[in-house]
Amino acid sequence: MSHMNMLEETRCTVCQRSDAGHRTYGKRHFCDEHFAAFSQDTPSLWRAAILAILFAVAPAIGLGIATQFFFPHLQPVSPWAAFILATIPSAAWILIVYRTSRTTGINRSSSLPTLFVAGILVAAAISRPLLFELIGIEAWLGATTAANRFLGDILVHGFFHSFMLYAIVRYLVWQTPMFTRRSDGILYTLSAAWGYAPMLVILTTFNFGQLALQSGSLFVASRVLAYLVPAPIIGFFLGRNRFEDMPVYYLSAGIALAAFLCGLTLYAGTELNNIRLNLAQDGYSPWPGLVFSIVTTMGVLAAVAGLMTRHNSLTRARLHLEA
Amino acid sequence: MTNIISNDRQPAVSDSTRNDRFAGLLAIIISLAAIGLGMLILQRSQSDTWTYENREAGIDGRYPAQWLVDERGDYIVQIRDPRATPFKTQYVLRAMPLSQHSTIRNVLDSLTLQRSTSLSGYRVLNIEERSLGNRSVTEMAFVFVNTDPNPYIERLPIIVLGMDRVIQDGDRAIVVTFMSAKESFNANLPEFEQFMASLEF
């Protein structure tokens, strides 16, 4: 093997430098700086994610309760209300990440707003026109059986949205020196998703033309969470695969898991709202779907946070690195 | 992948390993396959049909799945496509008594009289005798203008094309009516023909 090939093979997988130390993990080479950095935890990332989710659900729940108990006869309002409801958590996410990045270990990269805007553009220029207008997925799902709707939500909605979020991060930042930690996968995927999910919901609401304050606001929150669910999972799989060689099916398995949970949340978020009032009468309530979406999103975030923290701790212990 | 060297002599994009490239390709293939499979399942479900049976009228047939069945009007059944916009494509089945002195033509005249007072711009376009399978059918094509009764809805009136097929069944005439917006009439006609072919009485 030539000297040049040897140098190429021992370049840092993050910064591509070959003159800053030679460390190896998971069949990948690192310089000293990035070897010490890739397994670091960023607890503030989880706090920011939870806060942004609270900003998504709290106004919707507040509006839902207010209209149900105090103003039950309010007329539907302009779809701009959905715009406000959906952009509050996005703005909160960006602000929280940037504010906390000064004092905590969050990677304050210039890629964050880029990914956020990329999420918005992909939702508006690809997902909405292709999936909702050209294919007409909602009409198909509305005209089929519950079992087919379940499969359609997972196979079409789930895989489509999961792949879009995966592709944004995979092809924009995954192989750049800005991706320095495992948790950056989740940071970047969530940033893309906080642009992608609200944009899809806003466009859907504008298509309706108006928004009922109770069921509409709860629909906005429920849908935003359903489109957001794949982000932590895809981020986890991308983050891990960036710093060690994983089996060739590893990323696909991540997309499949994310697609399943996205589809399940979309399906349950709609189907659970058809409630039984008594043995002879069915009815509608917007609450069960939202509760399911909140539980799923928080559950996914908690599971990914636990797995990431555990995995980082084990790696640091194995490599004798300081926390 | 080609390295792009940035100003601080660090490459902007790192090399992919062969494993990474295969993993990326596999992710694309699996996602496309899953979306394709999902669309195939949904497309197949669109051609599903459900059975309608009315024992009192002695009629049964198969209509497109998920369409809405209404038996509360002055007909045996009205079956509507809930997704159709701006006019709900529909099939209407009626049974009208035939006496010794009345003919199929009387049935059509009665329908025309009734519709000309209830439907705006109602006009008969054509009446002809046809043979469908082993049945002799009288077919009447008509048109009317559908307007939304709500004056605050900003929508142009819709031109609706319709077709009655009248079949004599002993001492009654079975009238099967198909109505659809002018733009979608021809596209929806094959589904109606399938419904007609499935009718048994």
Side-chain angles (χ1 to χ4, degrees):
Chain A
M1 191 178 287
S2 70
H3 180 65
M4 281 302 289
N5 282 344
M6 282 289 287
L7 268 181
E8 272 189 18
E9 281 183 10
T10 54
R11 284 191 312 201
C12 173
T13 194
V14 179
C15 63
Q16 294 290 290
R17 287 166 63 189
S18 56
D19 57 351
H22 298 145
R23 311 290 289 267
T24 306
Y25 177 80
K27 295 184 187 170
R28 304 218 178 195
H29 305 287
F30 296 89
C31 64
D32 291 337
E33 180 194 343
H34 290 120
F35 187 72
F38 85 87
S39 58
Q40 282 177 2
D41 277 327
T42 45
S44 51
L45 169 65
W46 311 114
R47 283 198 294 274
I50 290 168
L51 272 174
I53 290 170
L54 287 179
F55 273 104
V57 296
I61 289 176
L63 266 177
I65 291 172
T67 45
Q68 183 159 347
F69 293 106
F70 304 113
F71 313 105
H73 302 299
L74 274 183
Q75 292 296 312
V77 295
S78 158
W80 284 100
F83 178 84
I84 295 167
L85 281 172
T87 47
I88 286 173
S90 301
W93 164 257
I94 293 288
L95 282 175
I96 294 164
V97 165
Y98 266 81
R99 280 185 70 86
T100 53
S101 66
R102 291 177 191 161
T103 51
T104 61
I106 286 185
N107 188 351
R108 192 187 177 191
S109 152
S110 59
S111 295
L112 284 177
T114 307
L115 288 163
F116 179 73
V117 172
I120 293 174
L121 292 178
V122 167
I126 299 176
S127 300
R128 176 76 203 174
L130 190 63
L131 197 57
F132 291 84
E133 285 161 21
L134 193 67
I135 296 175
I137 183 69
E138 292 297 301
W140 281 23
L141 291 173
T144 190
T145 59
N148 284 338
R149 210 156 36 241
F150 179 67
L151 288 174
D153 271 328
I154 290 171
L155 292 172
V156 183
H157 262 306
F159 269 92
F160 192 93
H161 302 307
S162 300
F163 181 77
M164 285 299 152
L165 291 176
Y166 157 83
I168 292 170
V169 178
R170 171 71 175 76
Y171 296 108
L172 284 183
V173 289
W174 193 67
Q175 280 183 295
T176 65
M178 290 165 217
F179 205 113
T180 55
R181 295 175 191 177
R182 284 177 177 144
S183 57
D184 283 351
I186 295 160
L187 174 70
Y188 289 137
T189 320
L190 274 175
S191 294
W194 274 120
Y196 183 86
M199 192 64 196
L200 268 187
V201 176
I202 288 166
L203 292 174
T204 303
T205 318
F206 271 84
N207 198 41
F208 274 114
Q210 54 186 9
L211 184 82
L213 273 179
Q214 189 199 11
S215 54
S217 57
L218 298 181
F219 167 86
V220 168
S222 175
R223 280 285 162 131
V224 165
L225 294 185
Y227 295 136
L228 197 77
V229 157
I233 302 165
I234 292 165
F236 175 83
F237 280 78
L238 279 170
R240 187 154 178 213
N241 202 167
R242 178 72 183 101
F243 302 104
E244 54 192 301
D245 255 10
M246 300 301 289
V248 77
Y249 56 80
Y250 186 76
L251 288 178
S252 304
I255 292 174
L257 179 61
F260 174 76
L261 284 167
C262 174
L264 180 69
T265 314
L266 282 170
Y267 175 80
T270 311
E271 298 292 319
L272 289 180
N273 292 340
N274 301 318
I275 56 166
R276 180 159 292 171
L277 298 174
N278 54 49
L279 286 177
Q281 201 177 4
D282 287 335
Y284 172 83
S285 165
W287 292 100
L290 177 66
V291 170
F292 185 89
S293 301
I294 294 171
V295 169
T296 312
T297 313
M298 288 301 198
V300 165
L301 206 58
V304 168
L307 280 172
M308 181 66 82
T309 309
R310 178 179 174 275
H311 198 62
N312 282 341
S313 306
L314 287 173
T315 306
R316 284 196 303 274
R318 198 176 302 146
L319 301 177
H320 307 294
L321 293 169
E322 289 180 10
Chain B
M1 185 180 289
T2 311
N3 288 339
I4 304 163
I5 309 295
S6 59
N7 290 338
D8 58 356
R9 300 176 67 186
Q10 288 186 11
V13 179
S14 64
D15 284 334
S16 306
T17 64
R18 180 188 285 187
N19 214 26
D20 289 341
R21 286 193 291 272
F22 277 132
L25 196 62
L26 189 65
I28 294 171
I29 292 169
I30 286 184
S31 299
L32 285 177
I35 294 166
L37 178 66
M39 286 173 61
L40 196 69
I41 290 170
L42 290 176
Q43 195 176 23
R44 283 197 169 190
S45 73
Q46 302 303 297
S47 56
D48 282 354
T49 54
W50 288 351
T51 301
Y52 170 76
E53 186 178 358
N54 187 316
R55 290 187 180 181
E56 197 180 330
I59 291 179
D60 64 75
R62 297 191 66 80
Y63 64 94
Q66 303 289 328
W67 283 33
L68 300 177
V69 172
D70 175 14
E71 294 180 317
R72 291 168 300 179
D74 60 343
Y75 35 68
I76 297 171
V77 67
Q78 180 195 53
I79 303 172
R80 288 187 306 154
D81 179 3
R83 294 165 298 150
T85 53
F87 178 81
K88 305 291 176 212
T89 304
Q90 54 193 265
Y91 311 152
V92 184
L93 252 85
R94 290 183 182 83
M96 301 174 84
L98 283 178
S99 67
Q100 258 186 331
H101 307 291
S102 58
T103 63
I104 297 288
R105 186 68 195 219
N106 298 134
V107 171
L108 292 177
D109 288 343
S110 160
L111 284 171
T112 299
L113 272 175
Q114 190 185 333
R115 286 172 182 159
S116 57
T117 55
S118 60
L119 299 178
S120 173
Y122 179 82
R123 293 286 180 279
V124 173
L125 300 176
N126 183 36
I127 298 176
E128 63 178 348
E129 296 291 329
R130 290 187 60 182
S131 175
L132 286 177
N134 54 357
R135 286 173 185 159
S136 173
V137 174
T138 306
E139 189 175 285
M140 177 170 79
F142 60 88
V143 64
F144 66 91
V145 178
N146 177 262
T147 49
D148 199 303
N150 185 346
Y152 297 103
I153 298 287
E154 296 173 358
R155 201 184 71 185
L156 288 172
I158 304 146
I159 297 175
V160 179
L161 290 182
M163 176 200 290
D164 292 310
R165 283 186 176 162
V166 189
I167 306 154
Q168 186 164 357
D169 177 43
D171 58 354
R172 65 178 182 169
I174 304 291
V175 184
V176 189
T177 307
F178 166 52
M179 288 183 277
S180 180
K182 179 174 161 266
E183 293 75 21
S184 54
F185 185 86
N186 286 332
N188 291 326
L189 194 56
E191 239 172 11
F192 174 68
E193 297 291 6
Q194 285 176 17
F195 173 69
M196 274 297 296
S198 74
L199 278 180
E200 287 183 18
F201 39 83

